[in-house]
Amino acid sequence: MIGRSRQFKPAGKGGVWDWDDPTIVADFCGQIEAEVLPLLRSLDSIEKIVTFILSQEMRGYSFNKDHIWMCLTNAVLGELAIARKHWDLITPSFREQYEKQKAIDGEPISDYLRSWVAVGEALQTGDHMTLAKLLWENERTEAHRFKLGRHWQPTAFPFQKAVIPITAASGSDPQ
């Protein structure tokens, strides 16, 4: 997203970052403040983040073609029918891996595979509470993997916000 500013590109260098260049710190910070931070601040909802991610193609990789990512994302957004379609596309490979691990004596099923089997079951049965717990666990794991665990806290997913509990919807007895 950022590269050497035109004003700092050394002639004939093509804008390569040169850490020995004393102007690099100011250039880098200036670009972060002018371009990156405003973009990050504008991504203030899951929907905006997903829209941004899906608009990007990174070195030939497209999230639109990643059925695992799309399954999780559509589940989070409450688009459960679409999430199930992506799940159906990845189920054969997960089922095959599961069967292979079961066939190897003494080989426990991996936590990764176990969690995906559970996500699929929760999607198929429409168990929103279990699905939320599994998605939070996925978020927590990823936050820790990227050293952001101390900043992560579970928040309601869009599919949870859409569901109004019966007790809250009925209100108090008017009599």
Side-chain angles (χ1 to χ4, degrees):
M1 186 169 173
I2 59 174
R4 287 298 273 168
S5 298
R6 286 187 182 95
Q7 67 192 41
F8 293 112
K9 283 185 181 180
K13 296 283 187 173
V16 175
W17 291 99
D18 179 3
W19 296 111
D20 293 335
D21 180 348
T23 65
I24 201 166
V25 173
D27 185 23
F28 184 79
C29 291
Q31 287 185 61
I32 294 294
E33 289 171 355
E35 298 173 38
V36 177
L37 290 177
L39 170 68
L40 292 176
R41 287 184 184 114
S42 73
L43 303 176
D44 58 0
S45 70
I46 290 175
E47 294 83 358
K48 288 180 183 178
I49 292 168
V50 170
T51 299
F52 172 76
I53 290 171
L54 292 177
S55 73
Q56 305 298 304
E57 185 151 326
M58 296 169 250
R59 298 181 187 163
Y61 179 81
S62 172
F63 282 98
N64 289 295
K65 297 175 185 170
D66 183 334
H67 296 296
I68 293 173
W69 192 86
M70 292 300 294
C71 177
L72 282 175
T73 302
N74 284 290
V76 163
L77 294 173
E79 298 166 353
L80 300 182
I82 297 170
R84 283 185 202 100
K85 287 180 183 178
H86 287 285
W87 172 253
D88 290 342
L89 292 170
I90 59 177
T91 296
S93 68
F94 279 108
R95 194 169 286 135
E96 180 181 324
Q97 289 177 41
Y98 178 77
E99 293 302 323
K100 280 182 184 175
Q101 284 191 354
K102 260 180 39 178
I104 300 171
D105 198 26
E107 180 72 24
I109 184 171
S110 70
D111 289 341
Y112 175 75
L113 189 53
R114 181 180 293 113
S115 71
W116 267 104
V117 169
V119 165
E121 289 171 356
L123 273 172
Q124 297 302 342
T125 62
D127 184 346
H128 291 182
M129 184 52 99
T130 298
L131 185 59
K133 287 178 183 177
L134 293 166
L135 293 172
W136 282 323
E137 182 61 26
N138 179 273
E139 278 187 349
R140 186 191 62 73
T141 300
E142 291 299 302
H144 284 291
R145 186 166 75 97
F146 288 106
K147 310 290 188 252
L148 298 168
R150 69 178 186 266
H151 304 289
W152 178 82
Q153 54 184 320
T155 56
F157 294 114
F159 77 87
Q160 292 175 296
K161 293 175 187 175
V163 177
I164 300 170
I166 294 171
T167 56
S170 63
S172 59
D173 188 358
Q175 294 178 346

